[in-house]
């Protein structure tokens, strides 16, 4: 009875954690279909909340590991799904989790997929974390604010292309799957979300990761300016450096390809 009371105790969304609960069954089914959980796989779910997606994943027979930061949800999830042998709940902040160690702890030599509904305020931080530990996963199904998905999926020349685009593009192939209206959540957010599939790919090597980040921050600082005008704030010979990279100085940062950023970083690292 004690667990039953916890399970039925109403849990309200916390604005501080960017919580909005997914309630639309059609959207839930579409996300689970995109994950395509198999019995010989582990599915790592970040932020299960009330367990709307979690139940479907467990029913698939896959090995499900859920990471939940909000301690209010953890007893409810244990009460709801604790009887299932293919379910484990971990109370932790995904931004601080070593996914490799976690998977080993929970007996996963299986292929691992990740699914998450990520609040806007941690999008960049969690995507950075996932990129750092991408070797743990085969693919990721992420629900993010629509503008974030448009940004990470942006191609050279798209106005949405920016620092986050390059960060993600180095590690993943990004495919936008579908949009999710605010009415699919409770409480109803003012923004739309989108679901994207990130497929792990081989990372293009960069000798100086920190330098690449610095160049991207500088180059995208004022997007209306040309890349020359942004770079020359730090590099006096920016025009010649760009020409050496076969990059026209009057181009804007969003037009550069990933290969051009890597080449630019290499040359600047030799100065």
């Amino acid at each position: 009875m004690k667990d039953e009371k916890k399970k039925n105790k109403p849990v309200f969304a916390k604005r501080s954690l960017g919580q909005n609960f997914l309630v639309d069954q059609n959207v839930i089914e579409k996300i689970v279909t995109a994950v395509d959980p198999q019995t010989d796989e582990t599915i790592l779910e970040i932020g299960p909340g009330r367990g709307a997606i979690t139940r479907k994943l467990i029913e698939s027979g896959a090995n499900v590991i859920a990471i939940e930061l909000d301690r209010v949800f953890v007893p409810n999830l244990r009460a709801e799904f604790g009887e299932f042998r293919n379910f484990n709940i971990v109370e932790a902040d995904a931004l601080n989790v070593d996914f490799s160690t976690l998977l080993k702890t929970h007996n996963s030599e299986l292929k691992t997929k990740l699914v998450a509904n990520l609040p806007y305020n941690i999008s960049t931080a969690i995507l950075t974390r996932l990129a750092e530990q991408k070797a743990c996963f085969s693919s990721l199904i992420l629900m993010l604010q629509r503008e974030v998905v448009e940004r990470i999926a942006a191609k050279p020349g798209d106005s949405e292309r920016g620092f986050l685009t390059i960060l993600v593009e180095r590690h993943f192939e990004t495919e936008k799957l579908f949009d999710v209206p605010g009415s699919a959540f409770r409480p109803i957010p003012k923004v739309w979300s989108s679901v994207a599939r990130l497929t792990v790919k081989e990372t293009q090597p960069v000798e100086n990761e920190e330098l690449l980040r610095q160049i991207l921050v500088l180059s995208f600082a004022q997007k209306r300016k040309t890349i020359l005008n942004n770079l020359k704030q730090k590099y006096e010979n920016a025009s010649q450096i760009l020409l050496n990279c076969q990059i026209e100085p009057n181009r804007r940062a969003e037009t550069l390809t990933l290969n051009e950023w890597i080449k630019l970083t290499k040359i600047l690292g030799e100065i």
Side-chain angles (χ1 to χ4, degrees):
M1 288 296 294
K2 191 174 182 180
D3 282 344
E4 189 66 28
K5 287 180 180 179
K6 285 185 177 180
K7 185 171 74 170
N8 294 330
K9 184 179 179 180
V11 179
F12 301 100
K14 294 179 181 176
R15 184 176 298 179
S16 61
L17 295 179
Q19 291 176 345
N20 297 92
F21 302 127
L22 182 62
V23 296
D24 189 308
Q25 290 300 314
N26 179 54
V27 174
I28 291 168
E29 290 289 351
K30 288 175 72 173
I31 291 173
V32 174
T33 297
V35 176
D36 189 25
Q38 304 295 317
T39 56
D40 62 346
E41 295 176 333
T42 286
I43 310 299
L44 187 63
E45 183 184 11
I46 295 178
R50 291 175 169 174
I53 294 173
T54 314
R55 175 169 291 280
K56 301 287 185 181
L57 297 175
I58 292 171
E59 290 172 351
S60 75
N63 177 39
V64 179
I65 303 172
I67 301 175
E68 179 55 62
L69 171 62
D70 191 341
R71 64 182 60 186
V72 172
F73 290 120
V74 175
N76 290 356
L77 291 164
R78 286 202 177 108
E80 185 81 19
F81 306 120
E83 66 187 58
F84 294 96
R85 297 183 65 182
N86 61 327
F87 173 75
N88 285 283
I89 179 75
V90 177
E91 185 178 338
D93 184 345
L95 290 174
N96 300 322
V97 170
D98 183 317
F99 295 115
S100 178
T101 300
L102 175 66
L103 292 170
K104 288 177 183 176
T105 301
H106 289 275
N107 181 35
S108 190
E109 297 298 326
L110 306 176
K111 180 172 66 172
T112 302
K113 296 175 181 175
L114 182 140
V115 60
N117 175 14
L118 300 175
Y120 178 77
N121 60 344
I122 66 164
S123 297
T124 299
I126 194 65
L127 285 168
T128 301
R129 186 74 173 168
L130 293 172
E132 291 170 349
Q133 301 190 50
K134 68 172 189 176
C136 297
F137 310 106
S138 59
S139 65
L140 302 84
I141 300 297
L142 304 179
M143 182 154 61
L144 299 149
Q145 189 168 318
R146 183 164 61 180
E147 287 75 9
V148 176
V149 171
E150 290 173 350
R151 197 173 304 148
I152 65 176
K155 304 299 181 184
D158 292 348
S159 60
E160 296 85 359
R161 192 170 173 85
F163 172 88
L164 190 59
T165 316
I166 310 304
L167 169 70
V168 173
E169 188 179 352
R170 284 193 62 221
H171 302 281
F172 305 101
E173 296 287 350
T174 301
E175 176 189 5
K176 179 179 175 180
L177 299 180
F178 55 89
D179 291 327
V180 182
S183 59
F185 301 89
R186 293 294 182 276
I188 299 175
K190 296 179 180 179
V191 298
W192 278 59
S193 297
S194 294
V195 175
R197 176 184 289 110
L198 274 59
T199 305
V200 175
K201 68 179 185 181
E202 186 176 346
T203 303
Q204 295 194 41
V206 174
E207 291 183 10
N208 190 332
E209 293 281 348
E210 183 55 33
L211 179 59
L212 172 60
R213 295 176 70 88
Q214 291 174 7
I215 293 168
L216 291 171
V217 170
L218 182 62
S219 300
F220 285 105
Q222 299 184 63
K223 293 191 68 174
R224 292 187 178 182
K225 289 188 175 182
T226 65
I227 188 168
L228 171 60
N229 284 335
N230 279 320
L231 285 179
K232 71 181 183 181
Q233 298 177 56
K234 183 173 181 179
Y235 301 99
E236 292 182 2
N237 58 339
S239 180
Q240 187 58 52
I241 291 170
L242 289 167
L243 291 173
N244 290 345
C245 295
Q246 298 180 314
I247 299 171
E248 288 295 326
N250 63 351
R251 289 170 61 185
R252 290 184 177 178
E254 65 262 28
T255 69
L256 270 65
T257 65
L258 174 59
N259 286 335
E260 287 175 321
W261 287 115
I262 291 173
K263 188 174 183 179
L264 180 58
T265 302
K266 183 177 185 299
I267 289 180
L268 288 173
E270 294 171 350
I271 295 176

